[in-house]
Amino acid sequence: MLLAVLIANPEGNILVERFNGVPAEERLHWRSFLVKLGADNLKGIKNEELLVACHKSVYIVYTVLGDVSIYLVGKDNYDELALSEAIFVITSALKDVCGKPPTERLFLDKYGKICLCFDEIVWKGLLENTDKERIKRLIRLKAPTEF
């Protein structure tokens, strides 16, 4: 199961988070742990260079893309290899939505579409869609209609 997807800015503030199967009382621990992990290790790495960690029998894969840090936490079938595939899909979708590796401002400007992407990529802790074109089709925003 994919337990968590978090995206943070360079100061460690969480911009987007999705938890699956993580009790509410443990979420604060995971937020602070992941941000600290990134602060210690993400300095000076290249865009999309993957880092891997293991904590409490779960796997963590994280990277930086533009001005944002992306963290994925998984267990069971979602080992470091599966998480690498998931993070590749997420970074690819972010670049498509933003048109380039995002700055924090661009990320926040495109926040709605980014959240739609996450909802199509990860559903209830499972990697749902990995095809770039299918994700683009699914997130197309339609104008509201009169009933």
Side-chain angles (χ1 to χ4, degrees):
M1 173 178 267
L2 228 158
L3 296 175
V5 177
L6 277 89
I7 296 187
N9 68 4
E11 291 79 39
N13 299 315
I14 306 295
L15 302 174
V16 175
E17 67 180 20
R18 296 282 194 276
F19 286 101
N20 301 292
V22 177
E25 58 274 5
E26 289 184 26
R27 293 178 183 184
L28 180 59
H29 162 75
W30 279 106
R31 284 183 201 107
S32 57
F33 174 77
L34 293 172
V35 168
K36 172 107 174 72
L37 185 69
D40 293 343
N41 299 313
L42 288 175
K43 299 266 189 268
I45 72 160
K46 299 176 195 162
N47 271 348
E48 300 181 71
E49 182 179 338
L50 299 182
L51 300 174
V52 178
C54 190
H55 178 69
K56 291 185 177 180
S57 75
V58 298
Y59 299 97
I60 303 161
V61 174
Y62 56 111
T63 189
V64 67
L65 181 67
D67 285 350
V68 298
S69 306
I70 304 166
Y71 305 88
L72 270 68
V73 180
K75 70 175 184 179
D76 300 333
N77 292 341
Y78 286 90
D79 59 5
E80 60 269 21
L81 189 59
L83 292 176
S84 313
E85 181 183 344
I87 209 166
F88 174 74
V89 173
I90 289 170
T91 56
S92 179
L94 275 175
K95 288 189 291 187
D96 285 349
V97 168
C98 295
K100 60 182 179 180
T103 61
E104 183 179 356
R105 180 183 178 110
L106 182 57
F107 184 92
L108 293 173
D109 286 346
K110 304 285 185 175
Y111 184 81
K113 269 201 167 179
I114 289 168
C115 287
L116 283 173
C117 276
F118 284 168
D119 292 342
E120 295 302 333
I121 294 169
V122 178
W123 183 76
K124 291 189 178 179
L126 302 173
L127 188 59
E128 182 75 11
N129 292 303
T130 59
D131 180 45
K132 201 174 184 178
E133 294 306 314
R134 179 171 168 76
I135 294 166
K136 279 184 187 177
R137 254 191 344 270
L138 290 170
I139 66 164
R140 220 174 302 147
L141 292 174
K142 296 182 178 158
T145 58
E146 296 286 327
F147 289 100

